[in-house]
Amino acid sequence: MSPNQAPSLAVQDPAGERAGRDAEPAVRLRALRKAFGPVTAVDGVDLDIAQGEFFSMLGPSGSGKTTVLRMIAGFELPTSGTVELAGRDVSTLAPFQRDVNTVFQDYALFPHMNVLANVEYGLRVKRVPRAQRRERALEALRTVRLEDFAGRKPSQLSGGQRQRVALARALVNRPRVLLLDEPLGALDLKLRQAMQVELKQIQREVGITFVFVTHDQDEALTMSDRIAVFNNGAIEQVGSPVEVYERPASAFVAGFVGTSNLLSGPAAEQVIGRRGIYSIRPEKIRIDADLAVPAQAGETSATGAVTSVVYAGATVRYEVSLDAGGQLSVVRPNEGPAADALRLDGSRVRLVWRDEHSFRVAAGS
Amino acid sequence: MTVSRTTRIALFGALGLGLAVIYFPLLVVLLNSVNADTTFGWPPSRFTLEWWSRAVGNQGALEALWTSVRAGLAATGIALVLGTMAAFALQRFRFFGRDSVSLLIILPIALPGIVTGIALNNAFRTVLGIDLGLLTVVIAHATFCIVVVFNNVIARLRRLGGNLEEASMDLGANGVTTFRLVTFPMLRSALLAGGLLAFALSFDEIIVTTFTLGAGLETLPIWILNNLFRPNQAPIVNVVAAVLIVVSTVPVYLAQRLSGDTASGGRI
């Protein structure tokens, strides 16, 4: 890697330099810690985020994901540990010295400037000539389909439009990494789903590394190349959406990403045949009303009584109290007559799933 | 909310009475400034502009006006700088004794003027050994002018949060540029409102001024007080009072407009 000590944020890197840096991960965190007084918000995070990746940091509020994001942006300085961007240690640099941009949760658009001036802001403070910055700002507004709104004030825009202006304002600088702090949190469900698709599309078009903070597991699963699940200031698991969902590393991940469906103690010993805590996704379980049919090779089964049936339109959720102890949720597509599904309430059933769908997880919190 | 007809009439009556109690006496002052009768009998007998032309040429009144303006501008200037700095310190940083400091900054506006006046008079003359003059009035006025600037600025800062500044830094602007392009424009109307109120406060202050003004100097309110009971000056006092009514209405009106709108719809 060629050392880049220039403090200015080069708008366009010489091609060779960028190629040289591509070997490095876009973001590398090492033993990152942040304490606010007696409270440790982030406790030893190691993470590599590759160039061009859509990377999500998922976790409940207070899990440290936003603090990590703020340390990458430079709004918080780490108590210890390092933040590297493309191989360069930026741990102690100010936000304006880092080649990253942020889309804030509440957008933080400048209310006294119109949309165009907001989008031009980053280029303006970097002294890009007026004509050029206008052209690039309009291009960025076109990317988010807001070119007709250039003259409006932020207060004249809807939530979704503000969100897209914030995105354009960040993207126009062509940052190495774009940080997004729960950017869809303030939008209603329909708009949020539309923006999820749009964000992902924009990310593919511009090829910039996205680091996306969210507490919504559906959002993380649908958008990300990889997900880091945060809990208590540390990372519980890093992996692709499939890995994180199908093979959660801990009871916490199993519960946070999807529904917690755990077998432990004597129930696990009796049903699975081994000690430990086992997780089974509710939609992997089949319900059989015929108790007599023996389990086939490669399948696990358990008998129990249905304690409740919840009709949710596209799916039906059953709570089953196992004879071996413990309780499992089962989610089935609503494929047959709904009345048949509801009639199962209170009856005895047999639950069946493939052996590999129940897997051991670490206890954790 | 709907109210019955009788209630509405009663409420409007109460409003009218309240406003009349406040504003009728002021109206009388305005009328008397053009009343030809030197004893100001009621109702006014004849209309005249003589008092106005005599006031315009009155050396004492003009000097007093000039002193008031200088004191007001200087006190407002000090208040703008210190009040803004204090507001930033208290809004942006958490430190030991922060709430106490906040109380101590606001207290001077609630202290009786006579107490502030005596205290400052003592401090200036006996403790610090400073001769009373215009400077001492400026300092005395600044103690309570700071409060209105502080209150205006801290209210605005609370509403803005720190997010806009973070966004600016994130987009590549350093601290100075961020202040110039984001923070200051967002504060401008709050500063103007605070400054206008501070000036108005200083301009009509009389109690503290009495204790801190140097011999031979008069601010406008003090000139009025000194001339009120001199028979041949009384008509001019009415003119000066009429001018003061108008002059102090304008900044208050502007300040109210400024702190009301501009940024209110602006928190994005």
Side-chain angles (χ1 to χ4, degrees):
Chain A
M1 185 203 104
S2 59
N4 173 29
Q5 298 305 333
S8 74
L9 300 173
V11 171
Q12 273 154 327
D13 279 333
E17 191 177 340
R18 189 171 278 256
R21 285 207 250 167
D22 275 348
E24 299 283 347
V27 180
R28 176 188 284 150
L29 309 178
R30 284 293 174 266
L32 199 61
R33 250 188 103 249
K34 177 70 185 180
F36 295 102
V39 182
T40 304
V42 174
D43 197 2
V45 164
D46 292 289
L47 194 59
D48 284 351
I49 300 173
Q51 303 271 3
E53 200 171 17
F54 196 120
F55 191 90
S56 289
M57 301 203 285
L58 174 68
S61 57
S63 60
K65 58 194 193 301
T66 295
T67 308
V68 169
L69 192 84
R70 290 175 61 80
M71 284 193 279
I72 299 174
F75 303 135
E76 308 283 357
L77 295 181
T79 308
S80 64
T82 56
V83 177
E84 281 179 30
L85 295 174
R88 176 175 171 227
D89 186 350
V90 298
S91 308
T92 56
L93 295 187
F96 50 86
Q97 296 167 313
R98 301 183 184 200
D99 194 2
V100 298
N101 286 116
T102 308
V103 175
F104 292 84
Q105 186 169 14
D106 63 355
Y107 319 133
L109 300 178
F110 305 124
H112 58 296
M113 300 180 189
N114 67 19
V115 167
L116 186 65
N118 263 285
V119 176
E120 279 187 340
Y121 189 86
L123 304 174
R124 179 178 167 198
V125 299
K126 275 167 237 151
R127 303 188 190 289
V128 174
R130 184 181 293 269
Q132 197 189 335
R133 74 186 189 223
R134 176 133 312 185
E135 190 187 321
R136 281 175 58 184
L138 287 172
E139 186 195 316
L141 282 173
R142 256 193 302 280
T143 311
V144 298
R145 301 199 319 275
L146 276 179
E147 64 269 36
D148 296 337
F149 293 82
R152 298 259 190 111
K153 282 283 178 73
S155 56
Q156 296 168 305
L157 301 179
S158 71
Q161 290 167 337
R162 285 177 199 173
Q163 215 278 315
R164 300 218 292 270
V165 174
L167 190 62
R169 184 178 69 174
L171 284 176
V172 76
N173 305 293
R174 296 174 193 157
R176 190 168 294 280
V177 179
L178 185 70
L179 307 173
L180 302 104
D181 184 10
E182 309 219 10
L184 309 180
L187 306 179
D188 63 56
L189 183 64
K190 284 266 183 241
L191 194 54
R192 195 159 68 218
Q193 287 168 342
M195 281 304 299
Q196 285 174 8
V197 175
E198 201 168 316
L199 260 185
K200 182 76 193 168
Q201 223 164 32
I202 289 172
Q203 194 260 343
R204 262 193 228 111
E205 276 167 35
V206 297
I208 290 173
T209 309
F210 274 34
V211 180
F212 187 90
V213 161
T214 180
H215 62 262
D216 181 335
Q217 78 266 16
D218 291 335
E219 211 163 85
L221 288 172
T222 45
M223 300 172 79
S224 320
D225 296 321
R226 282 195 307 151
I227 301 172
V229 184
F230 277 74
N231 184 32
N232 285 333
I235 295 178
E236 295 254 339
Q237 185 176 5
V238 183
S240 69
V242 172
E243 285 166 352
V244 168
Y245 188 79
E246 304 281 334
R247 284 269 174 251
S250 68
F252 174 82
V253 177
F256 194 77
V257 185
T259 309
S260 184
N261 219 15
L262 299 176
L263 277 182
S264 61
E269 273 191 77
Q270 205 179 321
V271 174
I272 314 273
R274 288 182 301 266
R275 291 169 159 278
I277 302 174
Y278 292 84
S279 171
I280 313 143
R281 292 298 180 194
E283 66 280 4
K284 303 283 192 190
I285 304 174
R286 223 165 58 229
I287 288 194
D288 211 328
D290 185 354
L291 296 170
V293 181
Q296 298 184 346
E299 285 188 339
T300 308
S301 77
T303 52
V306 177
T307 56
S308 84
V309 178
V310 178
Y311 175 79
T315 57
V316 182
R317 171 178 293 268
Y318 306 87
E319 297 297 331
V320 179
S321 187
L322 298 184
D323 298 339
Q327 176 136 352
L328 287 179
S329 297
V330 180
V331 172
R332 300 303 310 162
N334 180 15
E335 49 194 3
D340 289 358
L342 293 171
R343 207 172 297 133
L344 276 179
D345 197 359
S347 61
R348 291 185 48 74
V349 294
R350 201 165 60 93
L351 304 183
V352 184
W353 62 87
R354 297 168 65 85
D355 291 344
E356 72 264 28
H357 287 151
S358 54
F359 47 87
R360 197 170 172 164
V361 294
S365 39
Chain B
M1 194 178 83
T2 53
V3 290
S4 76
R5 203 178 134 75
T6 338
T7 319
R8 199 159 59 231
I9 291 169
L11 287 174
F12 270 106
L15 176 67
L17 186 67
L19 290 177
V21 167
I22 299 170
Y23 289 101
F24 182 70
L26 293 177
L27 189 67
V28 172
V29 170
L30 286 173
L31 285 176
N32 276 341
S33 73
V34 291
N35 185 351
D37 183 358
T38 47
T39 57
F40 304 120
W42 193 258
S45 51
R46 275 178 302 111
F47 172 84
T48 178
L49 284 177
E50 193 199 339
W51 314 134
W52 281 83
S53 61
R54 271 176 48 190
V56 169
N58 187 298
Q59 203 56 41
L62 288 179
E63 269 173 28
L65 175 67
W66 177 230
T67 307
S68 274
V69 168
R70 280 189 298 163
L73 288 180
T76 303
I78 293 173
L80 281 174
V81 174
L82 295 184
T84 307
M85 286 165 68
F88 266 95
L90 291 183
Q91 177 61 22
R92 292 290 159 79
F93 301 101
R94 302 278 168 273
F95 53 88
F96 178 75
R98 182 164 154 270
D99 293 339
S100 320
V101 172
S102 172
L103 180 70
L104 288 175
I105 291 173
I106 296 173
L107 197 57
I109 206 155
L111 281 178
I114 190 122
V115 175
T116 310
I118 293 171
L120 286 171
N121 180 291
N122 261 328
F124 287 138
R125 289 188 316 125
T126 52
V127 181
L128 298 171
I130 302 174
D131 289 333
L132 298 182
L134 189 61
L135 177 69
T136 49
V137 175
V138 168
I139 295 171
H141 284 190
T143 61
F144 51 81
C145 287
I146 286 174
V147 182
V148 291
V149 174
F150 172 82
N151 279 340
N152 265 284
V153 172
I154 204 161
R156 179 64 53 87
L157 287 178
R158 271 200 198 114
R159 204 157 55 189
L160 293 179
N163 234 344
L164 294 176
E165 283 159 345
E166 280 188 352
S168 167
M169 301 253 219
D170 185 71
L171 291 164
N174 61 25
V176 175
T177 311
T178 295
F179 186 83
R180 188 167 59 83
L181 295 180
V182 175
T183 317
F184 182 72
M186 300 306 305
L187 285 182
R188 194 159 37 204
S189 60
L191 287 174
L192 198 52
L196 286 168
L197 282 175
F199 184 82
L201 266 185
S202 162
F203 200 73
D204 72 357
E205 216 292 326
I206 191 157
I207 305 172
V208 176
T209 315
T210 313
F211 286 95
T212 49
L213 192 61
L217 280 170
E218 279 179 329
T219 62
L220 207 50
I222 291 196
W223 180 88
I224 291 176
L225 191 66
N226 290 343
N227 288 276
L228 190 56
F229 302 109
R230 293 182 193 161
N232 57 342
Q233 293 283 56
I236 298 174
V237 168
N238 272 317
V239 173
V240 174
V243 170
L244 277 184
I245 291 171
V246 176
V247 167
S248 45
T249 308
V250 173
V252 172
Y253 171 74
L254 287 179
Q256 202 181 21
R257 287 274 315 262
L258 288 171
S259 53
D261 56 44
T262 31
S264 60
R267 179 75 183 97
I268 302 303

